[in-house]
Amino acid sequence: MLKIGEIIETVKGIVETKVELVKYEIQEEFIGIVFRIMLLIFISSVGLLVLLFFSFSLAFFLSQYTKTSYMGFLMVGGLYLILMAVLYYTRYSPAVQRTVESGLRSFIFKRRNKKN
């Protein structure tokens, strides 16, 4: 005859193992998300530095081309002002919001297949 106590202990062990496995999977997913967020911040920081140096290079080049010390910086500043105005007026555009949201969602929450 089967002992009910042994069956209960076996079921408890199985449930505890499943709970531990789910905890481990959640921890793994959380660590992956945090890593991808940190990577996104790092990539953005490096991108901003690259943009800054290219902006200075363009400004100095345009200053030499126009033979005035300030005109290149004024042109680059005007370019960024126009870009900011375009971004400001398109900020509530559903297409822009969908594109940004889907890009961030896929970068942060989707993992690569373990086969690759």
Side-chain angles (χ1 to χ4, degrees):
M1 183 178 275
L2 295 174
K3 295 183 181 177
I4 295 181
E6 290 178 10
I7 295 174
I8 292 174
E9 288 299 319
T10 304
V11 170
K12 279 184 180 179
I14 291 172
V15 169
E16 287 175 358
T17 304
K18 280 285 196 183
V19 167
E20 289 298 319
L21 185 60
V22 168
K23 280 183 185 178
Y24 179 72
E25 288 175 358
I26 289 172
Q27 285 175 347
E28 240 182 52
E29 193 67 30
F30 179 73
I31 288 171
I33 289 171
V34 169
F35 171 75
R36 287 188 291 275
I37 289 173
M38 289 173 51
L39 183 64
L40 182 65
I41 291 170
F42 180 72
I43 289 171
S44 300
S45 300
V46 171
L48 283 174
L49 283 174
V50 168
L51 181 67
L52 176 75
F53 285 116
F54 277 140
S55 297
F56 275 123
S57 298
L58 179 63
F60 280 119
F61 173 76
L62 290 173
S63 292
Q64 279 185 335
Y65 185 74
T66 59
K67 297 186 180 17
T68 58
S69 60
Y70 63 89
M71 193 54 119
F73 289 94
L74 193 61
M75 287 181 192
V76 171
L79 178 71
Y80 283 128
L81 185 65
I82 292 170
L83 180 65
M84 186 182 72
V86 168
L87 290 175
Y88 180 78
Y89 286 115
T90 60
R91 73 184 184 274
Y92 293 123
S93 168
V96 172
Q97 287 180 355
R98 270 194 308 269
T99 303
V100 171
E101 285 176 8
S102 67
L104 286 174
R105 189 174 291 126
S106 69
F107 186 85
I108 293 173
F109 293 112
K110 290 189 181 176
R111 293 191 302 186
R112 297 181 97 188
N113 292 336
K114 295 200 177 198
K115 294 177 188 176
N116 293 340

